[in-house]
Amino acid sequence: ATGPKRAIHGAVDHTTSEANCDTPLFPLRVRSAILVAASIAVVYLCWLMARPFLGVLTWAITLAILAHPINRYLARRLGPTIAALVSVLLVAIMIVAPAALIAQKLYMDAREALQTLGADADSYGLQRFPAFAKLVEWIQARLDLTAQIRASAGAVAKVLSDWVTGSAWILTQLVLTFLALFYFFRDGASFLNF
């Protein structure tokens, strides 16, 4: 009588064989702790991947909420895809055009200020103000004002250079925001029903 015991009507009794075959390699608490740690690690990695896009998605959602009436009006007349495209273009014109004009004005003013700072102290037009001219002469006699101004202009130029370098990242975020905005406009109803 080796093997499982037969009970009434041919059913197999597994009470003795289960105890020998199903002993886990790790106890239940260890497996649970490993699963919890792995889950936390996966959630953290997902957070690290999603973090650069949170600002993009936040702006896209905000713009979608603000421009929703325009998109709804256009969707009734043009269909969802064309309405989403036109809505994104309208939002881009309303946001990007003024921002580009402001950025251009800031750039021109900064460039003019740097050129002025890089010039000699005599070119400031201080001759028209004799009291200031005497003050500038007194300061120049004690320290090299032109070298200090040029050093300051160099520091400002570095900051502006870093700003221009960062503008590529800003442009990338802007494009991703408008891309997400397009899909929020086009598929907004299905997002809400999800």
Side-chain angles (χ1 to χ4, degrees):
T2 59
K5 298 179 186 174
R6 296 268 174 203
I8 305 175
H9 304 292
V12 178
D13 181 17
H14 293 287
T15 54
T16 57
S17 63
E18 279 186 13
N20 294 334
C21 296
D22 280 344
T23 55
L25 190 60
F26 294 108
L28 182 61
R29 289 185 185 187
V30 173
R31 281 189 294 171
S32 297
I34 290 172
L35 286 175
V36 167
S39 297
I40 290 172
V42 167
V43 167
Y44 179 70
L45 290 174
C46 289
W47 166 254
L48 288 178
M49 289 187 332
R51 188 171 57 182
F53 301 104
L54 291 179
V56 167
L57 291 174
T58 301
W59 276 110
I61 290 170
T62 303
L63 293 172
I65 290 170
L66 291 175
H68 178 68
I70 295 169
N71 184 53
R72 184 178 52 213
Y73 173 79
L74 292 172
R76 279 183 268 166
R77 285 158 179 69
L78 304 173
T81 302
I82 301 297
L85 181 64
V86 171
S87 297
V88 168
L89 290 175
L90 287 174
V91 169
I93 289 170
M94 291 188 300
I95 292 174
V96 173
L101 292 174
I102 290 170
Q104 180 186 12
K105 178 67 174 153
L106 286 174
Y107 174 75
M108 298 300 286
D109 289 347
R111 190 176 77 185
E112 183 180 322
L114 284 176
Q115 288 173 349
T116 302
L117 286 175
D120 291 331
D122 293 338
S123 66
Y124 294 136
L126 294 176
Q127 290 80 11
R128 292 182 283 171
F129 306 102
F132 288 119
K134 288 180 184 178
L135 176 65
V136 169
E137 288 175 13
W138 181 82
I139 291 173
Q140 279 184 334
R142 281 154 182 73
L143 54 106
D144 188 9
L145 186 61
T146 304
Q148 294 295 326
I149 290 174
R150 286 193 177 137
S152 298
V156 170
K158 183 184 180 329
V159 168
L160 285 177
S161 172
D162 292 343
W163 180 75
V164 169
T165 303
S167 65
W169 174 245
I170 291 170
L171 183 63
T172 302
Q173 285 187 324
L174 193 62
V175 167
L176 290 174
T177 299
F178 288 139
L179 183 66
L181 182 62
F182 171 80
Y183 286 108
F184 286 150
F185 279 147
R186 192 186 74 176
D187 303 327
S190 62
F191 287 148
L192 294 175
N193 292 333
F194 182 67

